[in-house]
Amino acid sequence: MRKRTVLAWLVAVICFVVLMIVTPAIPQSQEYHDFADQRTFFGIPNALNVISNFPFMIIGLIGVILCHHGNYFKLSLQGELWGWTCFYVGVAAVAVGSSYYHLKPDDARLVWDRLPMTIAFTSIVAIFIIERIDERKGMISIIPLVLIGIISIVYWRFFDDLRPYAVVQFAPCIAIPLMAILLPPMYTHSTYWLWAAGFYLLAKVLEAADKVIYEWTHHIVSGHTLKHLSAAMVPVFLTLMLAKRSVDSERKSLLKTWRVSWTKYKEDNSNVESYTISYSNVPVEEPQ
């Protein structure tokens, strides 16, 4: 097991080095800071993009409190407690960092927008390792993964190259849904992970369509504002999952569960069709 872990890390490092060699640097485009909605309300510049970060603060603080107050989430593993605490601290910090950035968007402030998001992303990966692979490995990976995320931000800021940050941000977007589907869970209500992933994907689409949505809504709301609200649904669904879940004695992966459900559905349909055919073949006596 230890050899496989070392091998996995070695493969990951080699893939990353190859990626850095064969791909060109990705500088931060200054057009990124040109958001559609730049209106000022109540003396707040870019007001809706600033205010729409408030839900992150609420759900982040609620999550931290529920993690530690009376163990409401029933986190039985020490690694889980630290992982989820890091996640919720990162979520709450998104409200501060993103609001600070949107007050006056530029590269220097963008650091404080991306840093807490990176902490939340990397914490989620560690949590998945704890739940789906191995508790000890997951707990040990929390600090290294968070540090990798921080280093990717520092690298971008000093070298104006987004490649490491892009890997840190988008790799979990692929890995987490795959692990949620393929690996057997420790707990029930695993589908909430997919809901969270779906809202994050929606957030990225809304972000890309910032100006288009602003035009479609006749300058009522921009895509970036909606992006914040959609992204805030990610910790909301994960909090609901933590509140509802229990230990899964069967530990079936979602893929296996779906296969069983699909097989049962086909069998039920087959039985209904057989009954219909048999019933239609019964001769009907005509009245005398």
Side-chain angles (χ1 to χ4, degrees):
M1 184 68 72
R2 186 179 181 84
K3 289 182 178 179
R4 282 194 294 177
T5 303
V6 173
L7 180 61
W9 276 104
L10 184 61
V11 170
V13 170
I14 292 173
C15 289
F16 177 75
V17 171
V18 171
L19 178 69
M20 294 295 288
I21 292 173
V22 301
T23 59
I26 305 175
Q28 177 64 57
S29 171
Q30 294 307 300
E31 292 180 2
Y32 179 84
H33 307 304
D34 182 25
F35 298 102
D37 189 355
Q38 300 181 18
R39 293 172 295 177
T40 297
F41 296 130
F42 308 108
I44 304 174
N46 309 308
L48 291 186
N49 284 344
V50 172
I51 296 170
S52 58
N53 284 292
F54 186 67
F56 289 106
M57 177 65 72
I58 298 299
I59 191 63
L61 292 178
I62 289 174
V64 171
I65 291 170
L66 294 181
C67 278
H68 293 272
H69 181 69
N71 194 17
Y72 180 81
F73 289 146
K74 299 180 178 63
L75 302 174
S76 57
L77 305 176
Q78 189 66 28
E80 283 186 301
L81 179 61
W82 288 111
W84 283 110
T85 299
C86 286
F87 171 73
Y88 281 114
V89 168
V91 169
V94 166
V96 178
S98 186
S99 295
Y100 174 70
Y101 163 66
H102 281 289
L103 286 170
K104 188 179 178 181
D106 60 21
D107 283 359
R109 289 181 175 233
L110 186 56
V111 171
W112 304 106
D113 179 29
R114 287 176 170 167
L115 189 59
M117 287 191 292
T118 302
I119 292 173
F121 275 131
T122 50
S123 299
I124 283 293
V125 175
I127 289 167
F128 249 88
I129 295 173
I130 291 171
E131 289 188 7
R132 309 283 173 136
I133 300 176
D134 183 82
E135 176 194 354
R136 182 174 175 275
K137 291 176 182 176
M139 185 172 180
I140 292 173
S141 69
I142 293 175
I143 294 178
L145 285 172
V146 170
L147 286 176
I148 288 171
I150 294 173
I151 290 170
S152 73
I153 299 291
V154 174
Y155 183 89
W156 156 63
R157 190 70 184 100
F158 277 91
F159 299 100
D160 194 22
D161 185 0
L162 287 169
R163 286 178 297 172
Y165 173 73
V167 171
V168 169
Q169 185 182 31
F170 290 108
C173 298
I174 299 172
I176 289 175
L178 284 177
M179 286 194 289
I181 293 171
L182 299 176
L183 299 181
M186 183 185 296
Y187 302 101
T188 59
H189 293 82
S190 289
T191 51
Y192 279 79
W193 284 109
L194 300 183
W195 279 104
F199 270 98
Y200 183 76
L201 178 61
L202 175 61
K204 302 307 290 184
V205 172
L206 292 170
E207 180 181 31
D210 180 33
K211 292 180 171 63
V212 173
I213 292 174
Y214 194 55
E215 293 297 325
W216 281 354
T217 60
H218 301 284
H219 297 185
I220 295 175
V221 66
S222 70
H224 202 86
T225 296
L226 294 177
K227 173 242 183 178
H228 288 162
L229 299 178
S230 180
M233 292 301 297
V234 173
V236 167
F237 271 96
L238 295 183
T239 302
L240 290 173
M241 178 192 71
L242 289 173
K244 291 184 175 185
R245 72 182 188 177
S246 58
V247 175
D248 189 349
S249 57
E250 295 183 353
R251 297 207 66 168
K252 291 182 181 178
S253 68
L254 282 175
L255 181 62
K256 187 175 181 180
T257 301
W258 291 342
R259 282 178 175 173
V260 171
S261 299
W262 177 245
T263 301
K264 185 178 179 181
Y265 172 78
K266 288 197 297 183
E267 289 177 351
D268 290 344
N269 276 357
S270 177
N271 291 336
V272 170
E273 290 175 1
S274 298
Y275 175 79
T276 303
I277 292 172
S278 299
Y279 182 78
S280 63
N281 290 334
V282 174
V284 179
E285 294 184 4
E286 295 184 4
Q288 297 294 326

